[in-house]
Amino acid sequence: MASDIDARLSQLRARRRGDPTSEYIIKADSASPSYFALDAAEIEDWEKRGSSNQRWTRYAIGAMQPVGKKYTEVSEQTGERVAKQLLDRLAKAGITAEFRLQGSVPLDVHIKRVSDVDVLAITKDFYTYSTQGVQALRGGYTNPTVRTSAGVLSDLRQRTELHLFEAFPAAKVDKSGAKAVKVSGGSLARSVDVVPAHWYDTKDYQVSGRHADRAVTIYNKATGETIDNLPFLHIERVGARCDSINGGLRKSIRLCKSVKADSKRDIGLSSYDIAAVMYHADMAALSVGRYSDLAVLSETQRHLDALYRDPGAAGRLWVPDGSRVIFDSAEKRDWLLSLSLEIDELLANVVQENFSSLLPNGISQSVQRELVKALQV
């Protein structure tokens, strides 16, 4: 067990600091190499919490902390740099586009210093809309076209691949992804996934006009199918719920993602699904995380355990944007169990090293949760 926690702490530090010899760290930090060399060796606050014998406790606390702001800014700036190159090249080809970040970075639930960035490349020359929306029913859409989503996005995908090769000749452009073109290496400080898309005006958007209610349609190169997503509504709802409790929800999401990354179990839940699962946790319990990080571990364990034990309740939970149920396949139930077991074991190990006389295997998980919730480290 000791070797397991040593390995996990090492992996956690590597994700949060990055490999100082990595090409991404060197490129991102080349403007101030001495500063960032010192920064990479810096001991983070979570590593100073508790004693040297409280390694599981340190891991639990560290696993839920946000990545440093300056590293997130590098990720965002790299995405913006790629977007600027594509914007100019697409404009010369007669395509007006706009770009938006999506995924873990703008939501601030990423767990790596060197995080990949997801960029939506959205054509403004074509969009679709719900024919049942109020604007459509009032005749507000008057630009019929024979073009199709699949045709437009297939062309945009091909042009994106070509322009990325042109803009970043020293980088690697991976065209194999079904939904995204990945560009990495060369002069880029981060790997960037570019997802071609167009706007889709939902019924809600036609009423509200809010950016968050507007969907995007993306293209699956492997199948030729199109998919409607609501990435901005997901970010808005998860972010707002987290902000209302001063950060506990994001901590819980990062904790689960970190445990997944370090587990030897098969946990195929995506970052999106993990965020959706924890979105339905007890926010009052997670709000205690503003005073005690370990209260987040306590509620995370309770929630995951409760969901696995009550498949009916789990099956009724929807993702935050309301587009589908979370557990829409049998394998996701298996992955939930694996994640739940990991958090069970983490809770027990934290109890063991802080309350060794109580022998956590001999006390109920509800008692373990109460002990950890009240623990100040």
Side-chain angles (χ1 to χ4, degrees):
M1 193 62 73
S3 61
D4 186 34
I5 187 54
D6 289 342
R8 287 182 182 234
L9 284 168
S10 178
Q11 290 165 189
L12 177 61
R13 292 186 185 106
R15 282 195 301 273
R16 297 186 60 80
R17 297 180 186 177
D19 178 356
T21 65
S22 161
E23 60 173 328
Y24 286 124
I25 298 295
I26 293 169
K27 284 163 189 160
D29 307 343
S30 59
S32 304
S34 60
Y35 170 79
F36 280 101
L38 289 172
D39 185 69
E42 178 184 351
I43 302 298
E44 292 189 297
D45 287 343
W46 63 269
E47 297 181 81
K48 306 170 190 174
R49 303 272 288 271
S51 69
S52 60
N53 294 324
Q54 293 173 298
R55 288 176 294 174
W56 284 102
T57 304
R58 283 182 176 173
Y59 173 81
I61 294 171
M64 64 180 73
Q65 301 308 313
V67 171
K69 182 178 179 181
K70 59 193 165 198
Y71 309 128
T72 300
E73 289 174 350
V74 171
S75 297
E76 293 170 341
Q77 290 164 4
T78 305
E80 291 164 1
R81 179 185 167 200
V82 170
K84 178 64 167 60
Q85 290 292 326
L86 283 175
L87 178 70
D88 294 342
R89 284 170 166 76
L90 288 170
K92 290 177 182 178
I95 299 174
T96 304
E98 57 187 306
F99 297 82
R100 299 285 189 275
L101 296 183
Q102 66 169 355
S104 295
V105 170
L107 186 53
D108 192 21
V109 293
H110 52 302
I111 59 173
K112 295 180 181 179
R113 172 177 172 177
V114 182
S115 294
D116 291 356
V117 190
D118 288 341
V119 176
L120 286 163
I122 309 170
T123 177
K124 297 171 68 176
D125 301 323
F126 178 90
Y127 62 88
T128 55
Y129 56 89
S130 169
T131 57
Q132 300 304 308
V134 294
Q135 293 297 328
L137 295 173
R138 293 172 183 167
Y141 293 97
T142 58
N143 296 312
T145 177
V146 296
R147 294 191 295 169
T148 65
S149 290
V152 168
L153 294 178
S154 176
D155 179 63
L156 182 58
R157 168 72 186 240
Q158 294 174 38
R159 291 178 182 274
T160 297
E161 293 173 352
L162 174 64
H163 294 322
L164 287 174
F165 274 116
E166 294 173 343
F168 303 100
K172 176 183 177 182
V173 178
D174 182 356
K175 303 186 295 182
S176 65
K179 301 170 187 175
V181 187
K182 182 183 290 291
V183 57
S184 59
S187 62
L188 295 173
R190 299 289 189 269
S191 174
V192 179
D193 288 332
V194 181
V195 182
H198 69 69
W199 291 114
Y200 170 63
D201 293 358
T202 64
K203 290 172 65 176
D204 288 341
Y205 176 74
Q206 291 181 45
V207 173
S208 70
R210 293 184 337 112
H211 172 66
D213 289 329
R214 203 175 195 190
V216 293
T217 300
I218 65 175
Y219 178 68
N220 187 322
K221 179 181 177 180
T223 65
E225 298 174 322
T226 58
I227 306 157
D228 297 330
N229 285 336
L230 287 157
F232 311 113
L233 188 58
H234 174 82
I235 290 171
E236 180 187 77
R237 288 184 172 170
V238 175
R241 183 162 290 189
C242 182
D243 292 344
S244 72
I245 60 168
N246 295 291
L249 176 54
R250 286 188 178 91
K251 286 182 178 180
S252 180
I253 295 168
R254 294 189 205 105
L255 173 64
C256 290
K257 290 179 63 174
S258 294
V259 167
K260 172 192 167 182
D262 295 329
S263 175
K264 295 178 181 178
R265 290 183 169 99
D266 179 22
I267 305 175
L269 293 172
S270 67
S271 176
Y272 179 87
D273 283 331
I274 288 173
V277 168
M278 297 316 303
Y279 181 80
H280 294 284
D282 183 338
M283 291 301 115
L286 286 181
S287 71
V288 183
R290 80 184 79 173
Y291 309 113
S292 169
D293 286 325
L294 293 171
V296 173
L297 169 61
S298 177
E299 170 54 18
T300 302
Q301 187 279 328
R302 184 209 64 79
H303 181 59
L304 294 176
D305 184 64
L307 286 185
Y308 184 75
R309 292 177 184 278
D310 190 346
R316 291 190 293 272
L317 297 182
W318 288 69
V319 296
D321 64 31
S323 60
R324 63 168 173 82
V325 294
I326 300 173
F327 297 101
D328 54 359
S329 68
E331 61 185 356
K332 286 187 180 181
R333 287 276 306 153
D334 295 335
W335 294 335
L336 171 64
L337 173 60
S338 294
L339 179 59
S340 180
L341 290 172
E342 285 286 344
I343 299 294
D344 286 351
E345 291 171 9
L346 178 56
L347 178 74
N349 282 318
V350 170
V351 172
Q352 176 67 61
E353 65 185 16
N354 288 279
F355 305 97
S356 58
S357 63
L358 297 179
L359 297 176
N361 290 333
I363 59 176
S364 68
Q365 286 182 334
S366 62
V367 173
Q368 291 181 41
R369 288 194 295 269
E370 291 304 312
L371 289 170
V372 168
K373 186 190 304 184
L375 187 60
Q376 294 293 327
V377 178

